[in-house]
Amino acid sequence: MAPTSETTPTLTLKPGTSWQEAWQRSRTAAPEAFRDDRVRNLWAGTWHADGDPLPAGSPVDGTAIAGPPRLDADAALGAVRASLDQHRAWRQVPLAERKARISATLDALTEHRELLALLLVWEIGKPWKAAQADVDRAIDGVRWYVTEIDRMLIDRSPLPGPVSNIASWNYPMSVLIHAMLVQALAGNAVIAKTPTDGGLVCLTLACALAAREGVPATLVSGGGSALSPALVRSPEIGCVSFVGGRDTGARVATAVADLGKRHILEQEGLNTWAIWNFTDWQSLTPQLRKTFDYAKQRCTAYPRFVVQREAFADFLAAYLPAVRSVRFGHPLAVPDPTDPLPDLDFGPLINAAKAKELADLVTEAISRGAVPLHRGTLADGHFLPSQDTSAYLPPTTLLSPPPSSPLHHAEPFGPVDTIVLVDTEAELLAAMNASNGALVATLSCDCDETYDRLAPQIRAFKVGRNKPRSRGDREELFGGFGNSWRGAFVGGDLLVRAVTEGPADERLPGNFPEYHLMP
């Protein structure tokens, strides 16, 4: 039985975890990257107190935090040109020395692991375990490349210019820093734009640790319209690596196609989990709860379930206990100062505007006929007394969202599940392929023949059976079908191949304007 409000202990912020303490620790660890209450931009191998800082608040509880120092277009062009000079020098550095510098960077990241994770909690709202995992995946993943890079670079050379990285805010370490360090290991200077919505201080600290070891990294802040001409269209850029939504990705894709530029564009898609002739319900409940990790603010989250109508009652019996057991709230709040940090499924969404947008979409979908199967409340959350909860959204589940609703065909990027019922295999495939391409999908079914027949017709790069698929680490490849991916696929050897040059007639695996090639 859940405790009553009279017996629920009052929560307090875990000592040593406040934003001010995290900020001061960051300034102590890398004083060159921070000045007073602001963050510096990194370009030409030097930290610059340029740009116009924006105010920012933590999604966790509205605490004021450091905002991005936004550069204008001319300053960004200067940073790109300086990066080309770094690139020309770095590509001549022997591989053994590059490996040593990257390894030293990884050692420094490991030393500051807990601080990097704490910054992720405050800046993007990750629960403590998820934040630590994000840091660890970056470090462990790049270490694997250090051990494997010699064979990967046989008969390959760095690109003619630096790699430009524009990534979303949700995985600053395991996606963005990981990619940058592997790109540098392969012989390229690297440029990154800090995501406007969060991750600035964590990325700045990580880049400061890399720059100290002589890694040619550039980190700049600014609006997309101001920085895009420099970071996407500049002739100095050798490759554009983008992770984000389809609208922005389509604009980047148009630009790089016009310029014939090497590119890696990971875009959103509606990842689906289908249930068809399936009976192992006991195994499903714990897996369903895990799909709510980080409030489904992941490129490989599963927000859509496509369920065989005659199995719906059994599915619901497995699903509802999972969603009702989800724990969310303030990631740093504890009943007693000596208690460990809470083990939550998720904290806030990235900001209050996103929480309101999704709440409004849910209300609109219900008004147009969607059936609410589960609607959590903020009273279910784990919060400090009187804290700002505007960025939090309880888990919600809707049956049959109307076709007019964005929840019917687009990824919500939040803790909102939708369920669609189907009667035939053709309906199942149509529902799974609603977004014209996805990164991952899962089909739960008992029969081998059924899975083998249906899985190839699902337009997702990875299709799991009876369990979720993930982006993967180390040697595992990653890409997308349809509109979820443009350009070279990545992961394992493919990540290095995507940012290096091989034979003149090489065709990289990926989705390109002129061809589609699977690994």
Side-chain angles (χ1 to χ4, degrees), residues 1-8 324 379-380:
M1 178 180 294
T4 66
S5 58
E6 289 77 18
T7 61
T8 301
R324 288 169 179 162
D380 302 325

Side-chain angles (χ1 to χ4, degrees), residues 275 278 281 305-320 371 373 397-400 418-422:
I275 307 293
F278 176 74
W281 303 109
F305 293 90
V306 179
V307 181
Q308 187 176 15
R309 189 182 304 274
E310 65 182 48
F312 180 54
D314 291 327
F315 172 80
L316 208 57
Y319 177 89
L320 288 177
V371 179
L373 296 178
T397 309
L398 301 180
L399 174 66
S400 301
T418 57
I419 300 173
V420 174
L421 303 183
V422 295

Side-chain angles (χ1 to χ4, degrees), residues 37-250:
D37 61 348
R38 65 171 291 169
V39 177
R40 295 177 172 181
N41 288 298
L42 172 63
W43 54 274
T46 304
W47 292 95
H48 300 262
D50 51 9
D52 183 20
L54 282 180
S58 169
V60 170
D61 60 7
T63 294
I65 62 175
R70 294 160 63 98
L71 295 179
D72 59 25
D74 290 340
L77 283 171
V80 169
R81 292 175 183 136
S83 181
L84 178 60
D85 293 337
Q86 289 180 300
H87 180 82
R88 288 169 173 165
W90 179 253
R91 61 179 293 159
Q92 302 303 321
V93 173
L95 178 58
E97 184 176 343
R98 297 202 305 264
K99 290 168 62 177
R101 294 190 188 184
I102 296 298
S103 294
T105 300
L106 298 174
D107 291 342
L109 293 174
T110 301
E111 180 184 351
H112 295 283
R113 169 183 179 264
E114 291 202 353
L115 174 55
L116 291 164
L118 182 58
L119 292 170
L120 290 179
V121 174
W122 279 110
E123 293 193 285
I124 60 173
K126 278 186 182 283
W128 179 238
K129 286 187 177 180
Q132 291 177 301
D134 192 18
V135 177
D136 291 342
R137 286 181 61 191
I139 295 170
D140 296 342
V142 179
R143 285 200 192 279
W144 179 83
Y145 277 95
V146 171
T147 65
E148 300 290 332
I149 193 65
D150 291 82
R151 66 170 180 81
M152 293 181 181
L153 289 179
I154 294 174
D155 297 326
R156 305 196 70 81
S157 60
L159 297 172
V163 181
S164 176
N165 294 270
I166 304 170
S168 57
W169 45 264
N170 53 342
Y171 283 91
M173 293 295 298
S174 63
V175 173
L176 184 51
I177 290 296
H178 177 278
M180 293 172 67
L181 293 180
V182 174
Q183 294 159 6
L185 183 63
N188 304 289
V190 292
I191 307 170
K193 173 187 176 297
T194 58
T196 303
D197 287 327
L200 168 70
V201 180
C202 177
L203 285 169
T204 300
L205 176 57
C207 285
L209 300 175
R212 285 181 181 176
E213 304 301 335
V215 177
T218 295
L219 183 67
V220 293
S221 295
S225 59
L227 267 57
S228 182
L231 300 185
V232 176
R233 293 185 172 274
S234 290
E236 293 89 350
I237 297 296
C239 175
V240 176
S241 177
F242 170 87
V243 180
R246 288 193 177 185
D247 290 344
T248 303

